[in-house]
Amino acid sequence: VAAQTIGPDPLLVRAARSAASHPGGAMADIEGSDVEVAKEDQQNINRFSRLNLKYEELDFELIQLKKDVQTYKDATEEVEGCMEEDGIRYRVGEAYMCMAEDTVTEKLAKLIEEADSKLTTKTDEIEEVKIEMDKLKKLLYSKFKNSINLER
């Protein structure tokens, strides 16, 4: 099966030896040889790049969600240790409202539950992205060997 190429002639790719010319890019160290890149290969490289960006975004979101969960847990501990008779000042938007300790604890428990649910969803999603990236890595490295760099 012949691979389709971009344009009438195969696209020839020559990468510079220095990483400075392609910082974090997909091509590196070809050692002066020409590598034929079929349209399908270029699509796979582009797909890997998009997945890598998505992976980084999901990783950032996971870190933020973990911080949020910890903040909610810390707030719950503070509320439980508080002995205010007037209630707890709970922030709603830019204002603070006095609320009963039980109400605040329930709201914080709900926030923790929602954040944990999102955390589970994002963890599953990042695993799916990682699996697909590994498949593309294997495919591209088998064809281009050391002519391509797909590491983060």
Side-chain angles (χ1 to χ4, degrees), residues 36 87-88 114:
E36 188 176 313
I88 306 293
E114 288 172 2

Side-chain angles (χ1 to χ4, degrees), residues 14 50 54 62 85-86 100-101 111 117 139:
R14 186 180 296 270
R50 286 189 303 272
K54 185 174 183 177
L62 281 173
E85 292 179 18
D86 297 346
E101 183 178 324
L111 288 171
S117 175
L139 176 73

Side-chain angles (χ1 to χ4, degrees), residues 63-130:
I63 290 168
Q64 189 60 47
L65 282 169
K66 287 176 184 177
K67 286 180 184 177
D68 290 348
V69 168
Q70 188 58 47
T71 300
Y72 299 147
K73 287 180 180 179
D74 291 345
T76 301
E77 288 177 15
E78 289 294 322
V79 167
E80 290 171 352
C82 186
M83 301 276 194
E84 295 291 324
E85 292 179 18
D86 297 346
I88 306 293
R89 290 179 153 228
Y90 187 82
R91 183 176 173 186
V92 179
E94 294 182 15
Y96 289 90
M97 296 177 44
C98 284
M99 300 178 105
E101 183 178 324
D102 293 340
T103 306
V104 173
T105 305
E106 288 172 14
K107 286 186 177 287
L108 287 170
K110 185 176 179 182
L111 288 171
I112 290 171
E113 184 179 320
E114 288 172 2
D116 279 337
S117 175
K118 288 179 185 176
L119 194 60
T120 301
T121 303
K122 295 294 180 184
T123 302
D124 293 344
E125 197 173 335
I126 204 169
E127 286 302 316
E128 291 172 11
V129 168
K130 180 78 171 130

Side-chain angles (χ1 to χ4, degrees), residues 9-68:
D9 294 320
L11 175 64
L12 297 179
V13 177
R14 186 180 296 270
R17 290 185 56 62
S18 75
S21 64
H22 293 288
M27 303 301 284
D29 291 339
I30 294 185
E31 299 180 15
S33 65
D34 292 337
V35 175
E36 188 176 313
V37 179
K39 182 178 181 180
E40 181 182 338
D41 297 329
Q42 187 61 52
Q43 289 172 342
N44 286 334
I45 291 168
N46 294 343
R47 175 84 177 128
F48 181 87
S49 179
R50 286 189 303 272
L51 287 171
N52 193 39
L53 289 173
K54 185 174 183 177
Y55 182 90
E56 290 175 5
E57 289 172 7
L58 289 170
D59 191 41
F60 178 78
E61 289 177 30
L62 281 173
I63 290 168
Q64 189 60 47
L65 282 169
K66 287 176 184 177
K67 286 180 184 177
D68 290 348

